[in-house]
């Protein structure tokens, strides 16, 4: 199960006289008999020395130099052993209010092990004699299915609050139990996530979306009060509107099914499912305030996405896709003339339609609408023609859109 490229890198480092180990998630996953998604290597060779050994190597990272050895699509990350922070380093600018801000001192394997997060993530596979090196009791924990923070959990969560999310992700995806002393501070420290950059939180959410067990992990995020830190607009809606909770759970269930079947999932779709009810609530509120529905949608899509990106940096192209998927929910209700045919060609039609089906299953959208679109989507040209007629016959008086009259009530302008 070990990638050939990873083996090549290990052997080349080893025969050049350096020690080289597989480390972290890949060793953990191999021992759990799961296929690792990537392979990380730790070595005592310095970055410049690694570069000299591999033509296909580039050094990255300003804060801490890492070597990427590139084999087509596969990148093997090779890191020089780092040392953990000693007391008093705060004076030298490594720490800020208990959080690590610099992490760049080289060390030996005995140092490297202690800066890792969980014991099961701190196992090293030695290519030289095929042994596993375990300083923290990770092997025993792995056998007992136990996730345990190395060192003092409160201090280690403070050092890097992303570890809160990592703990829950590993519980969800690997089905590990969390040890009581690691679990105890978990939910009380959720506020620390406010100190993590939105770009890093986005990276964590992407992993959560893409590694299966999303429904499981989502429930744990809620249980440990971490979900609201990631999706502050969605969390309250899930608690107060059962149809919103149903929609999110159905979307996550579908995602897990797709991932298990080896299919890809689009993060935009899941973001759309998470944000749909906050958007819909905004639209309804804006309409009550007198705004035409198009304008209400425009405002809602902008505002809800802007609020969301204050917590997580969502890349621009994904924001546009999320907005399109949500706006399609409105466009699906406008079935006059040739509009339905044009919608079929919309690049997000399929994602929008999938969301419509989930909304129906969650009891929010009408079955009539999604049945109509199902028949239309799968229909022949003749069947589509007939379906379009059913809509115009049901609404015979629909005329061309009139220009909206300018309202005289200034209070309704906003
Ligand atoms: P995944 O399956 O999600 O990739 P992973 O454990 O491999 O899990 P990575 O982010 O790839 O996670 O990190 C590789 C290793 O680096 C980890 O196993 C752990 O030893 C160490 N590590 C990563 N992030 C942290 C962190 N925030 N704090 C301490 N150690 C970390
Ligand atoms: Mg990894």
């Amino acid at each position: 199960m070990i990638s050939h490229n990873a083996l090549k890198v290990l052997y080349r480092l080893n025969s050049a006289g350096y020690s080289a180990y597989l480390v972290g998630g890949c060793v953990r996953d191999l021992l759990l008999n799961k296929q690792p998604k990537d392979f990380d290597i730790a070595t005592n060779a310095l970055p410049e020395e690694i570069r000299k050994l591999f033509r296909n190597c580039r050094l990255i990272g300003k804060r801490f130099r890492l070597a990427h050895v590139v084999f087509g699509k596969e990148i093997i990350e090779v890191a020089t052993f780092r040392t953990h922070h000693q007391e008093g380093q705060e004076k030298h600018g490594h720490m800020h209010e208990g959080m690590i801000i610099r992490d760049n001192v080289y060390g030996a394997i005995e140092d490297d092990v202690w800066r890792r997060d969980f014991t099961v993530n701190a196992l090293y596979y030695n290519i030289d004699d095929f042994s596993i090196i375990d300083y923290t009791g990770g092997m025993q924990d792995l056998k007992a299915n136990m996730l345990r923070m190395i060192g003092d959990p409160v201090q280690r969560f403070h050092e890097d609050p992303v570890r809160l999310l990592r703990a829950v992700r590993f519980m969800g995806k690997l089905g590990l139990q969390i040890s009581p002393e690691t679990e105890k501070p978990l939910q009380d420290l959720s506020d620390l996530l406010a100190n993590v950059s939105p770009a890093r939180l986005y990276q964590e959410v992407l992993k959560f979306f893409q590694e299966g067990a999303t429904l499981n992990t989502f429930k744990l995020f809620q249980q440990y009060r971490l979900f609201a830190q990631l999706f502050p607009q969605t969390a309250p809606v899930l608690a107060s509107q059962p149809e919103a909770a149903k929609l999110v759970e159905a979307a996550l269930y579908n995602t897990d099914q797709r991932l298990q079947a080896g299919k890809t999932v689009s993060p935009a779709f899941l973001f759309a499912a998470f944000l749909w009810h906050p958007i819909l609530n905004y639209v309804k509120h804006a309409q009550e305030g007198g705004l035409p529905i198009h304008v209400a949608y425009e405002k809602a899509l902008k505002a809800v996405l802007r609020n969301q990106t204050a917590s997580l940096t969502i890349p621009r192209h994904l924001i546009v896709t999320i907005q399109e998927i949500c706006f399609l929910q409105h466009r699906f209700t406008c079935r006059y003339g040739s509009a339905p045919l044009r919608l079929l060609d919309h690049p997000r039609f399929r994602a929008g339609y999938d969301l419509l089906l989930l909304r129906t299953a969650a009891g929010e959208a009408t079955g009539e609408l999604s049945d109509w679109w199902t028949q239309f989507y799968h229909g022949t040209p003749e069947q589509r023609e007939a379906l379009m007629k059913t809509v115009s016959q049901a609404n015979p008086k629909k005329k061309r859109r009139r220009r909206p009259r300018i309202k005289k009530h200034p209070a309704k302008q906003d």
Side-chain angles (χ1 to χ4, degrees), residues 23-26 28-29 37-38 40 115-118 120-122 156 160 162-163 166 169-170 173 200 204 207 211:
V23 66
C26 62
R28 176 199 67 212
D29 291 349
K37 66 175 193 299
D38 47 35
D40 295 328
R115 62 167 195 89
R116 298 192 175 269
D117 46 7
F118 303 100
V120 294
N121 283 348
R156 306 284 332 267
D160 180 2
V162 165
R163 290 171 187 154
R166 288 174 61 84
R169 241 185 352 98
F170 294 134
K173 99 165 169 172
R200 217 172 149 215
E204 280 303 308
K207 288 189 189 176
E211 58 194 15

PDB file of all heavy atoms in Angstrom, residues 23-26 28-29 37-38 40 115-118 120-122 156 160 162-163 166 169-170 173 200 204 207 211, ligand 1:
ATOM      1  N   VAL A  23       6.048   9.079   8.029  1.00  0.00           N
ATOM      2  CA  VAL A  23       5.569   9.582   9.311  1.00  0.00           C
ATOM      3  C   VAL A  23       4.155  10.157   9.180  1.00  0.00           C
ATOM      4  O   VAL A  23       3.725  10.526   8.090  1.00  0.00           O
ATOM      5  CB  VAL A  23       6.527  10.674   9.847  1.00  0.00           C
ATOM      6  CG1 VAL A  23       6.539  11.910   8.971  1.00  0.00           C
ATOM      7  CG2 VAL A  23       6.186  11.046  11.287  1.00  0.00           C
ATOM      8  N   GLY A  24       3.462  10.203  10.304  1.00  0.00           N
ATOM      9  CA  GLY A  24       2.179  10.906  10.358  1.00  0.00           C
ATOM     10  C   GLY A  24       1.031  10.057   9.855  1.00  0.00           C
ATOM     11  O   GLY A  24       1.014   8.828  10.031  1.00  0.00           O
ATOM     12  N   GLY A  25       0.088  10.726   9.198  1.00  0.00           N
ATOM     13  CA  GLY A  25      -1.164  10.086   8.795  1.00  0.00           C
ATOM     14  C   GLY A  25      -0.974   8.829   7.959  1.00  0.00           C
ATOM     15  O   GLY A  25      -1.756   7.884   8.072  1.00  0.00           O
ATOM     16  N   CYS A  26       0.075   8.789   7.132  1.00  0.00           N
ATOM     17  CA  CYS A  26       0.224   7.618   6.263  1.00  0.00           C
ATOM     18  C   CYS A  26       0.561   6.368   7.079  1.00  0.00           C
ATOM     19  O   CYS A  26       0.032   5.290   6.795  1.00  0.00           O
ATOM     20  CB  CYS A  26       1.224   7.869   5.146  1.00  0.00           C
ATOM     21  SG  CYS A  26       2.893   8.211   5.684  1.00  0.00           S
ATOM     22  N   ARG A  28      -0.200   5.880  10.251  1.00  0.00           N
ATOM     23  CA  ARG A  28      -1.446   5.590  10.993  1.00  0.00           C
ATOM     24  C   ARG A  28      -2.429   4.835  10.099  1.00  0.00           C
ATOM     25  O   ARG A  28      -2.949   3.781  10.482  1.00  0.00           O
ATOM     26  CB  ARG A  28      -2.043   6.930  11.446  1.00  0.00           C
ATOM     27  CG  ARG A  28      -3.365   6.865  12.150  1.00  0.00           C
ATOM     28  CD  ARG A  28      -4.037   8.239  12.108  1.00  0.00           C
ATOM     29  NE  ARG A  28      -4.409   8.584  10.736  1.00  0.00           N
ATOM     30  CZ  ARG A  28      -4.419   9.831  10.257  1.00  0.00           C
ATOM     31  NH1 ARG A  28      -4.071  10.845  11.004  1.00  0.00           N
ATOM     32  NH2 ARG A  28      -4.786  10.055   8.996  1.00  0.00           N
ATOM     33  N   ASP A  29      -2.639   5.359   8.894  1.00  0.00           N
ATOM     34  CA  ASP A  29      -3.620   4.733   7.998  1.00  0.00           C
ATOM     35  C   ASP A  29      -3.176   3.335   7.571  1.00  0.00           C
ATOM     36  O   ASP A  29      -3.994   2.418   7.493  1.00  0.00           O
ATOM     37  CB  ASP A  29      -3.857   5.615   6.766  1.00  0.00           C
ATOM     38  CG  ASP A  29      -4.588   6.911   7.118  1.00  0.00           C
ATOM     39  OD1 ASP A  29      -5.082   7.009   8.261  1.00  0.00           O
ATOM     40  OD2 ASP A  29      -4.665   7.809   6.273  1.00  0.00           O
ATOM     41  N   LYS A  37      -3.872   8.784   1.802  1.00  0.00           N
ATOM     42  CA  LYS A  37      -4.088   9.607   0.612  1.00  0.00           C
ATOM     43  C   LYS A  37      -2.815  10.331   0.190  1.00  0.00           C
ATOM     44  O   LYS A  37      -2.665  10.704  -0.953  1.00  0.00           O
ATOM     45  CB  LYS A  37      -5.273  10.557   0.796  1.00  0.00           C
ATOM     46  CG  LYS A  37      -5.109  11.624   1.837  1.00  0.00           C
ATOM     47  CD  LYS A  37      -6.348  12.548   1.772  1.00  0.00           C
ATOM     48  CE  LYS A  37      -6.155  13.824   2.547  1.00  0.00           C
ATOM     49  NZ  LYS A  37      -5.907  13.652   3.983  1.00  0.00           N
ATOM     50  N   ASP A  38      -1.890  10.504   1.115  1.00  0.00           N
ATOM     51  CA  ASP A  38      -0.573  11.023   0.721  1.00  0.00           C
ATOM     52  C   ASP A  38       0.491  10.531   1.703  1.00  0.00           C
ATOM     53  O   ASP A  38       0.162   9.998   2.766  1.00  0.00           O
ATOM     54  CB  ASP A  38      -0.577  12.559   0.624  1.00  0.00           C
ATOM     55  CG  ASP A  38      -1.234  13.190   1.828  1.00  0.00           C
ATOM     56  OD1 ASP A  38      -1.092  12.639   2.935  1.00  0.00           O
ATOM     57  OD2 ASP A  38      -1.890  14.239   1.659  1.00  0.00           O
ATOM     58  N   ASP A  40       4.036  11.334   3.791  1.00  0.00           N
ATOM     59  CA  ASP A  40       4.979  12.328   4.298  1.00  0.00           C
ATOM     60  C   ASP A  40       6.215  11.619   4.825  1.00  0.00           C
ATOM     61  O   ASP A  40       6.116  10.533   5.409  1.00  0.00           O
ATOM     62  CB  ASP A  40       4.350  13.131   5.445  1.00  0.00           C
ATOM     63  CG  ASP A  40       3.170  13.959   4.973  1.00  0.00           C
ATOM     64  OD1 ASP A  40       3.193  14.405   3.810  1.00  0.00           O
ATOM     65  OD2 ASP A  40       2.224  14.142   5.752  1.00  0.00           O
ATOM     66  N   ARG A 115       6.430  17.458  18.880  1.00  0.00           N
ATOM     67  CA  ARG A 115       5.665  18.597  18.370  1.00  0.00           C
ATOM     68  C   ARG A 115       4.456  18.123  17.553  1.00  0.00           C
ATOM     69  O   ARG A 115       3.658  18.913  17.077  1.00  0.00           O
ATOM     70  CB  ARG A 115       6.542  19.525  17.531  1.00  0.00           C
ATOM     71  CG  ARG A 115       7.076  18.830  16.325  1.00  0.00           C
ATOM     72  CD  ARG A 115       7.692  19.727  15.294  1.00  0.00           C
ATOM     73  NE  ARG A 115       7.824  18.958  14.077  1.00  0.00           N
ATOM     74  CZ  ARG A 115       6.888  18.872  13.160  1.00  0.00           C
ATOM     75  NH1 ARG A 115       5.782  19.545  13.275  1.00  0.00           N
ATOM     76  NH2 ARG A 115       7.066  18.111  12.097  1.00  0.00           N
ATOM     77  N   ARG A 116       4.325  16.823  17.367  1.00  0.00           N
ATOM     78  CA  ARG A 116       3.180  16.289  16.612  1.00  0.00           C
ATOM     79  C   ARG A 116       1.937  16.323  17.493  1.00  0.00           C
ATOM     80  O   ARG A 116       2.037  16.467  18.704  1.00  0.00           O
ATOM     81  CB  ARG A 116       3.493  14.893  16.099  1.00  0.00           C
ATOM     82  CG  ARG A 116       4.678  14.967  15.162  1.00  0.00           C
ATOM     83  CD  ARG A 116       4.956  13.762  14.355  1.00  0.00           C
ATOM     84  NE  ARG A 116       6.041  14.085  13.437  1.00  0.00           N
ATOM     85  CZ  ARG A 116       5.874  14.557  12.210  1.00  0.00           C
ATOM     86  NH1 ARG A 116       4.665  14.703  11.715  1.00  0.00           N
ATOM     87  NH2 ARG A 116       6.903  14.868  11.458  1.00  0.00           N
ATOM     88  N   ASP A 117       0.761  16.209  16.877  1.00  0.00           N
ATOM     89  CA  ASP A 117      -0.448  16.434  17.673  1.00  0.00           C
ATOM     90  C   ASP A 117      -0.882  15.217  18.486  1.00  0.00           C
ATOM     91  O   ASP A 117      -0.877  15.247  19.715  1.00  0.00           O
ATOM     92  CB  ASP A 117      -1.591  17.019  16.829  1.00  0.00           C
ATOM     93  CG  ASP A 117      -1.806  16.320  15.497  1.00  0.00           C
ATOM     94  OD1 ASP A 117      -1.167  15.274  15.246  1.00  0.00           O
ATOM     95  OD2 ASP A 117      -2.625  16.797  14.694  1.00  0.00           O
ATOM     96  N   PHE A 118      -1.251  14.134  17.821  1.00  0.00           N
ATOM     97  CA  PHE A 118      -1.804  12.989  18.542  1.00  0.00           C
ATOM     98  C   PHE A 118      -0.822  11.818  18.506  1.00  0.00           C
ATOM     99  O   PHE A 118      -0.038  11.699  17.563  1.00  0.00           O
ATOM    100  CB  PHE A 118      -3.150  12.578  17.919  1.00  0.00           C
ATOM    101  CG  PHE A 118      -4.128  13.720  17.916  1.00  0.00           C
ATOM    102  CD1 PHE A 118      -4.352  14.467  16.763  1.00  0.00           C
ATOM    103  CD2 PHE A 118      -4.775  14.091  19.083  1.00  0.00           C
ATOM    104  CE1 PHE A 118      -5.215  15.551  16.776  1.00  0.00           C
ATOM    105  CE2 PHE A 118      -5.632  15.176  19.107  1.00  0.00           C
ATOM    106  CZ  PHE A 118      -5.860  15.903  17.950  1.00  0.00           C
ATOM    107  N   VAL A 120      -1.241   8.768  17.773  1.00  0.00           N
ATOM    108  CA  VAL A 120      -1.365   7.907  16.582  1.00  0.00           C
ATOM    109  C   VAL A 120      -0.788   8.586  15.337  1.00  0.00           C
ATOM    110  O   VAL A 120      -0.584   7.936  14.304  1.00  0.00           O
ATOM    111  CB  VAL A 120      -2.831   7.500  16.304  1.00  0.00           C
ATOM    112  CG1 VAL A 120      -3.361   6.601  17.401  1.00  0.00           C
ATOM    113  CG2 VAL A 120      -3.725   8.718  16.121  1.00  0.00           C
ATOM    114  N   ASN A 121      -0.527   9.895  15.428  1.00  0.00           N
ATOM    115  CA  ASN A 121       0.079  10.619  14.301  1.00  0.00           C
ATOM    116  C   ASN A 121       1.585  10.755  14.457  1.00  0.00           C
ATOM    117  O   ASN A 121       2.228  11.447  13.682  1.00  0.00           O
ATOM    118  CB  ASN A 121      -0.511  12.030  14.193  1.00  0.00           C
ATOM    119  CG  ASN A 121      -1.893  12.019  13.584  1.00  0.00           C
ATOM    120  OD1 ASN A 121      -2.315  11.001  13.050  1.00  0.00           O
ATOM    121  ND2 ASN A 121      -2.584  13.145  13.665  1.00  0.00           N
ATOM    122  N   ALA A 122       2.132  10.133  15.487  1.00  0.00           N
ATOM    123  CA  ALA A 122       3.550  10.336  15.791  1.00  0.00           C
ATOM    124  C   ALA A 122       4.328   9.024  15.672  1.00  0.00           C
ATOM    125  O   ALA A 122       5.266   8.779  16.427  1.00  0.00           O
ATOM    126  CB  ALA A 122       3.695  10.935  17.184  1.00  0.00           C
ATOM    127  N   ARG A 156      -1.698  22.311  24.289  1.00  0.00           N
ATOM    128  CA  ARG A 156      -1.492  21.992  22.864  1.00  0.00           C
ATOM    129  C   ARG A 156      -2.626  22.530  21.998  1.00  0.00           C
ATOM    130  O   ARG A 156      -2.413  22.900  20.852  1.00  0.00           O
ATOM    131  CB  ARG A 156      -1.336  20.474  22.670  1.00  0.00           C
ATOM    132  CG  ARG A 156      -0.279  19.795  23.498  1.00  0.00           C
ATOM    133  CD  ARG A 156       1.177  19.959  23.085  1.00  0.00           C
ATOM    134  NE  ARG A 156       1.569  20.185  21.733  1.00  0.00           N
ATOM    135  CZ  ARG A 156       1.907  19.252  20.844  1.00  0.00           C
ATOM    136  NH1 ARG A 156       1.842  17.981  21.153  1.00  0.00           N
ATOM    137  NH2 ARG A 156       2.314  19.575  19.631  1.00  0.00           N
ATOM    138  N   ASP A 160      -2.094  25.640  18.973  1.00  0.00           N
ATOM    139  CA  ASP A 160      -2.615  25.617  17.608  1.00  0.00           C
ATOM    140  C   ASP A 160      -4.064  25.117  17.649  1.00  0.00           C
ATOM    141  O   ASP A 160      -4.322  23.920  17.658  1.00  0.00           O
ATOM    142  CB  ASP A 160      -1.763  24.678  16.745  1.00  0.00           C
ATOM    143  CG  ASP A 160      -2.275  24.632  15.312  1.00  0.00           C
ATOM    144  OD1 ASP A 160      -3.254  25.354  15.006  1.00  0.00           O
ATOM    145  OD2 ASP A 160      -1.710  23.872  14.504  1.00  0.00           O
ATOM    146  N   VAL A 162      -6.270  24.759  15.519  1.00  0.00           N
ATOM    147  CA  VAL A 162      -6.728  23.863  14.443  1.00  0.00           C
ATOM    148  C   VAL A 162      -6.769  22.419  14.930  1.00  0.00           C
ATOM    149  O   VAL A 162      -7.519  21.590  14.415  1.00  0.00           O
ATOM    150  CB  VAL A 162      -5.827  24.023  13.189  1.00  0.00           C
ATOM    151  CG1 VAL A 162      -6.029  22.891  12.206  1.00  0.00           C
ATOM    152  CG2 VAL A 162      -6.131  25.349  12.508  1.00  0.00           C
ATOM    153  N   ARG A 163      -5.990  22.141  15.959  1.00  0.00           N
ATOM    154  CA  ARG A 163      -6.001  20.778  16.522  1.00  0.00           C
ATOM    155  C   ARG A 163      -7.385  20.392  17.048  1.00  0.00           C
ATOM    156  O   ARG A 163      -7.700  19.204  17.108  1.00  0.00           O
ATOM    157  CB  ARG A 163      -4.948  20.673  17.632  1.00  0.00           C
ATOM    158  CG  ARG A 163      -3.536  20.717  17.067  1.00  0.00           C
ATOM    159  CD  ARG A 163      -2.478  20.836  18.140  1.00  0.00           C
ATOM    160  NE  ARG A 163      -1.163  21.030  17.523  1.00  0.00           N
ATOM    161  CZ  ARG A 163      -0.140  21.641  18.110  1.00  0.00           C
ATOM    162  NH1 ARG A 163      -0.268  22.113  19.349  1.00  0.00           N
ATOM    163  NH2 ARG A 163       1.007  21.783  17.476  1.00  0.00           N
ATOM    164  N   ARG A 166      -8.942  19.056  14.016  1.00  0.00           N
ATOM    165  CA  ARG A 166      -8.282  17.799  13.637  1.00  0.00           C
ATOM    166  C   ARG A 166      -8.744  16.658  14.539  1.00  0.00           C
ATOM    167  O   ARG A 166      -9.003  15.549  14.063  1.00  0.00           O
ATOM    168  CB  ARG A 166      -6.759  17.958  13.700  1.00  0.00           C
ATOM    169  CG  ARG A 166      -6.207  18.825  12.554  1.00  0.00           C
ATOM    170  CD  ARG A 166      -4.713  19.108  12.696  1.00  0.00           C
ATOM    171  NE  ARG A 166      -3.865  17.930  12.694  1.00  0.00           N
ATOM    172  CZ  ARG A 166      -3.416  17.300  11.609  1.00  0.00           C
ATOM    173  NH1 ARG A 166      -3.754  17.750  10.415  1.00  0.00           N
ATOM    174  NH2 ARG A 166      -2.634  16.242  11.699  1.00  0.00           N
ATOM    175  N   ARG A 169     -12.109  15.616  13.360  1.00  0.00           N
ATOM    176  CA  ARG A 169     -12.031  15.000  12.030  1.00  0.00           C
ATOM    177  C   ARG A 169     -11.518  13.564  12.137  1.00  0.00           C
ATOM    178  O   ARG A 169     -12.042  12.652  11.494  1.00  0.00           O
ATOM    179  CB  ARG A 169     -11.074  15.803  11.158  1.00  0.00           C
ATOM    180  CG  ARG A 169     -11.746  16.377   9.959  1.00  0.00           C
ATOM    181  CD  ARG A 169     -10.869  17.093   8.973  1.00  0.00           C
ATOM    182  NE  ARG A 169      -9.503  17.377   9.235  1.00  0.00           N
ATOM    183  CZ  ARG A 169      -8.480  16.640   8.786  1.00  0.00           C
ATOM    184  NH1 ARG A 169      -8.703  15.549   8.092  1.00  0.00           N
ATOM    185  NH2 ARG A 169      -7.237  17.008   9.048  1.00  0.00           N
ATOM    186  N   PHE A 170     -10.503  13.346  12.937  1.00  0.00           N
ATOM    187  CA  PHE A 170      -9.952  11.987  13.063  1.00  0.00           C
ATOM    188  C   PHE A 170     -10.944  11.057  13.765  1.00  0.00           C
ATOM    189  O   PHE A 170     -11.059   9.892  13.414  1.00  0.00           O
ATOM    190  CB  PHE A 170      -8.610  12.003  13.803  1.00  0.00           C
ATOM    191  CG  PHE A 170      -7.517  12.706  13.036  1.00  0.00           C
ATOM    192  CD1 PHE A 170      -6.681  13.616  13.649  1.00  0.00           C
ATOM    193  CD2 PHE A 170      -7.346  12.465  11.677  1.00  0.00           C
ATOM    194  CE1 PHE A 170      -5.676  14.274  12.934  1.00  0.00           C
ATOM    195  CE2 PHE A 170      -6.350  13.112  10.950  1.00  0.00           C
ATOM    196  CZ  PHE A 170      -5.513  14.027  11.580  1.00  0.00           C
ATOM    197  N   LYS A 173     -13.580  10.401  10.915  1.00  0.00           N
ATOM    198  CA  LYS A 173     -13.208   9.616   9.741  1.00  0.00           C
ATOM    199  C   LYS A 173     -12.609   8.270  10.095  1.00  0.00           C
ATOM    200  O   LYS A 173     -12.751   7.320   9.354  1.00  0.00           O
ATOM    201  CB  LYS A 173     -12.304  10.434   8.813  1.00  0.00           C
ATOM    202  CG  LYS A 173     -10.839  10.186   8.894  1.00  0.00           C
ATOM    203  CD  LYS A 173     -10.131  10.798   7.678  1.00  0.00           C
ATOM    204  CE  LYS A 173      -8.634  10.772   7.911  1.00  0.00           C
ATOM    205  NZ  LYS A 173      -7.836  11.148   6.784  1.00  0.00           N
ATOM    206  N   ARG A 200      -6.833  29.094   6.680  1.00  0.00           N
ATOM    207  CA  ARG A 200      -6.505  27.783   7.247  1.00  0.00           C
ATOM    208  C   ARG A 200      -7.775  27.016   7.608  1.00  0.00           C
ATOM    209  O   ARG A 200      -7.859  25.798   7.411  1.00  0.00           O
ATOM    210  CB  ARG A 200      -5.636  27.988   8.486  1.00  0.00           C
ATOM    211  CG  ARG A 200      -4.599  26.911   8.574  1.00  0.00           C
ATOM    212  CD  ARG A 200      -3.584  27.107   9.630  1.00  0.00           C
ATOM    213  NE  ARG A 200      -3.162  25.779  10.084  1.00  0.00           N
ATOM    214  CZ  ARG A 200      -2.835  25.491  11.320  1.00  0.00           C
ATOM    215  NH1 ARG A 200      -2.875  26.431  12.249  1.00  0.00           N
ATOM    216  NH2 ARG A 200      -2.490  24.268  11.640  1.00  0.00           N
ATOM    217  N   GLU A 204      -9.174  23.197   6.322  1.00  0.00           N
ATOM    218  CA  GLU A 204      -9.679  22.130   7.200  1.00  0.00           C
ATOM    219  C   GLU A 204     -11.079  21.697   6.769  1.00  0.00           C
ATOM    220  O   GLU A 204     -11.399  20.514   6.762  1.00  0.00           O
ATOM    221  CB  GLU A 204      -9.716  22.592   8.657  1.00  0.00           C
ATOM    222  CG  GLU A 204      -8.383  22.543   9.352  1.00  0.00           C
ATOM    223  CD  GLU A 204      -7.752  21.148   9.341  1.00  0.00           C
ATOM    224  OE1 GLU A 204      -8.412  20.185   9.740  1.00  0.00           O
ATOM    225  OE2 GLU A 204      -6.591  21.041   8.921  1.00  0.00           O
ATOM    226  N   LYS A 207     -10.970  19.442   3.790  1.00  0.00           N
ATOM    227  CA  LYS A 207     -10.628  18.054   4.142  1.00  0.00           C
ATOM    228  C   LYS A 207     -11.869  17.347   4.684  1.00  0.00           C
ATOM    229  O   LYS A 207     -12.153  16.211   4.314  1.00  0.00           O
ATOM    230  CB  LYS A 207      -9.516  18.023   5.200  1.00  0.00           C
ATOM    231  CG  LYS A 207      -8.167  18.420   4.669  1.00  0.00           C
ATOM    232  CD  LYS A 207      -7.118  18.151   5.729  1.00  0.00           C
ATOM    233  CE  LYS A 207      -5.771  18.746   5.339  1.00  0.00           C
ATOM    234  NZ  LYS A 207      -4.773  18.588   6.394  1.00  0.00           N
ATOM    235  N   GLU A 211     -13.259  13.665   2.797  1.00  0.00           N
ATOM    236  CA  GLU A 211     -12.659  12.396   3.196  1.00  0.00           C
ATOM    237  C   GLU A 211     -13.672  11.352   3.680  1.00  0.00           C
ATOM    238  O   GLU A 211     -13.302  10.412   4.349  1.00  0.00           O
ATOM    239  CB  GLU A 211     -11.538  12.617   4.211  1.00  0.00           C
ATOM    240  CG  GLU A 211     -11.975  13.316   5.446  1.00  0.00           C
ATOM    241  CD  GLU A 211     -10.776  13.804   6.262  1.00  0.00           C
ATOM    242  OE1 GLU A 211      -9.657  13.858   5.754  1.00  0.00           O
ATOM    243  OE2 GLU A 211     -10.992  14.147   7.425  1.00  0.00           O
TER     244      GLU A 211
HETATM  245  P1  LIG B   1      -4.742  13.388   6.950  1.00  0.00           P
HETATM  246  O1  LIG B   1      -5.198  12.008   6.756  1.00  0.00           O
HETATM  247  O2  LIG B   1      -5.844  14.360   7.183  1.00  0.00           O
HETATM  248  O3  LIG B   1      -3.733  13.859   5.937  1.00  0.00           O
HETATM  249  P2  LIG B   1      -2.501  13.595   8.696  1.00  0.00           P
HETATM  250  O4  LIG B   1      -2.311  13.174  10.111  1.00  0.00           O
HETATM  251  O5  LIG B   1      -1.600  13.003   7.670  1.00  0.00           O
HETATM  252  O6  LIG B   1      -4.012  13.327   8.357  1.00  0.00           O
HETATM  253  P3  LIG B   1      -1.446  16.081   7.809  1.00  0.00           P
HETATM  254  O7  LIG B   1      -2.053  17.435   7.890  1.00  0.00           O
HETATM  255  O8  LIG B   1      -1.150  15.481   6.499  1.00  0.00           O
HETATM  256  O9  LIG B   1      -2.422  15.141   8.653  1.00  0.00           O
HETATM  257  O10 LIG B   1      -0.125  16.139   8.703  1.00  0.00           O
HETATM  258  C1  LIG B   1       0.860  15.134   8.718  1.00  0.00           C
HETATM  259  C2  LIG B   1       1.401  14.972  10.142  1.00  0.00           C
HETATM  260  O11 LIG B   1       1.950  16.223  10.590  1.00  0.00           O
HETATM  261  C3  LIG B   1       0.375  14.615  11.186  1.00  0.00           C
HETATM  262  O12 LIG B   1       0.125  13.238  11.243  1.00  0.00           O
HETATM  263  C4  LIG B   1       1.010  15.134  12.458  1.00  0.00           C
HETATM  264  O13 LIG B   1       2.018  14.259  12.909  1.00  0.00           O
HETATM  265  C5  LIG B   1       1.673  16.415  11.979  1.00  0.00           C
HETATM  266  N1  LIG B   1       0.754  17.565  12.105  1.00  0.00           N
HETATM  267  C6  LIG B   1      -0.052  18.077  11.152  1.00  0.00           C
HETATM  268  N2  LIG B   1      -0.743  19.116  11.599  1.00  0.00           N
HETATM  269  C7  LIG B   1      -0.374  19.304  12.880  1.00  0.00           C
HETATM  270  C8  LIG B   1      -0.717  20.242  13.892  1.00  0.00           C
HETATM  271  N3  LIG B   1      -1.624  21.196  13.658  1.00  0.00           N
HETATM  272  N4  LIG B   1      -0.120  20.122  15.089  1.00  0.00           N
HETATM  273  C9  LIG B   1       0.798  19.153  15.319  1.00  0.00           C
HETATM  274  N5  LIG B   1       1.161  18.245  14.414  1.00  0.00           N
HETATM  275  C10 LIG B   1       0.607  18.303  13.202  1.00  0.00           C
END
